Each structure stands twice: as C-alpha cells, then as structure tokens.
C-alpha cells in the first residue's frame, strides 16, 4: 500500500501537495498545504490542479502559503491544540440548576416528560 496521497481529480496520478476545503458559511474555498490526515469533504490536489483552481462564482478563494511542515507536530502545536479543546469543552457560564421540583406528566420508554412547578415565594 502506498503512503503517497494522489490528487483527487479524476484520472490524475500526480502526488498531492495541497488540500482544498470549503467554508460554506463564508462562501470561501481554502487551498492550503497538504493536510496531515485524509479528511472527508476535503480534496487533495497536485500542484498543476492547485495552480489552475478557481472558486465558484460569488465565492472567495483563499490561498494559504505552502510551507514545509515538519513530519511530526511540535510539542507546542500539540499543547495549543489540547488547550483549545479544553477551552471549547468548558461551559460558557456558571451552571444554572433548575429551581423547584418537576412533576412527571408523561413517559415514553425510558424518557420522562417533566413540568416545572413554580417555586413558592
């Protein structure tokens, strides 16, 4: 099995050197260095196809500089990624506990429907 990734274009047997992704929310196509892993909805392109690439009408094409990436991510990269994941997993604000007791008003299988009772003042 070959470890070289090939261009995603039909019938192209050239080695891939760029990865193309689409950011639908921003109507942007991003062409950057070859991703470390094959990702769904991303396209690996050879240098020829990357040079001739155009964005769909109304979209912006963002070309990131192709730089020589190290074979293994550095420790700083891994720590930054771990910190970003930890930050994203943190709750946005203080946890708010429900007030009062709930009264069961229905059940379907293992799920229960609860109605919140208004707290007494």
């Amino acid at each position: 099995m070959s470890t070289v990734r090939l261009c995603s274009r039909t019938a192209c047997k050239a080695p891939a050197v760029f990865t193309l992704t689409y950011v639908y929310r921003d109507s942007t196509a991003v062409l950057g260095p070859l991703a470390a892993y094959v990702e769904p909805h991303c396209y690996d392109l050879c240098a020829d196809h990357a040079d001739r690439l155009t964005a769909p009408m109304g979209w912006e094409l963002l070309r990131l500089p192709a730089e020589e990436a190290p074979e293994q991510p550095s420790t700083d990269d891994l720590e930054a990624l771990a910190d970003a994941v930890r930050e994203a997993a943190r709750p946005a604000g203080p946890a708010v506990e429900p007030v009062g007791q709930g009264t069961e008003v229905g059940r379907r299988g293992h799920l229960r429907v609860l109605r919140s009772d208004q707290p007494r003042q």
Side-chain angles (χ1 to χ4, degrees):
M1 183 166 180
S2 176
T3 58
V4 175
R5 291 176 10 210
L6 299 179
C7 182
S8 297
R9 297 297 300 250
T10 305
C12 183
K13 301 294 183 203
V17 291
F18 296 98
T19 297
L20 172 66
T21 58
Y22 291 100
V23 182
Y24 292 96
R25 172 186 254 174
D26 299 330
S27 297
T28 303
V30 181
L31 183 67
L34 187 64
Y37 302 100
V38 177
E39 296 286 337
H41 309 293
C42 291
Y43 303 92
D44 296 334
L45 299 176
C46 65
D48 290 337
H49 284 119
D51 288 341
R52 293 184 290 174
L53 180 72
T54 60
M57 186 174 281
W59 284 54
E60 179 183 355
L61 177 60
L62 179 62
R63 292 181 185 265
L64 300 178
E67 52 190 49
E68 293 298 319
E71 291 297 318
Q72 294 293 329
S74 69
T75 305
D76 293 339
D77 291 341
L78 293 175
E79 287 176 10
L81 178 62
D83 290 340
V85 170
R86 283 188 206 107
E87 184 66 30
R90 263 190 217 128
V96 177
E97 293 294 322
V99 179
Q101 296 294 321
T103 305
E104 185 174 326
V105 294
R107 180 179 284 264
R108 178 173 265 176
H110 68 281
L111 301 174
R112 297 183 303 161
V113 177
L114 300 176
R115 181 181 65 223
S116 292
D117 296 331
Q118 296 298 326
R120 296 182 186 173
Q121 294 179 350

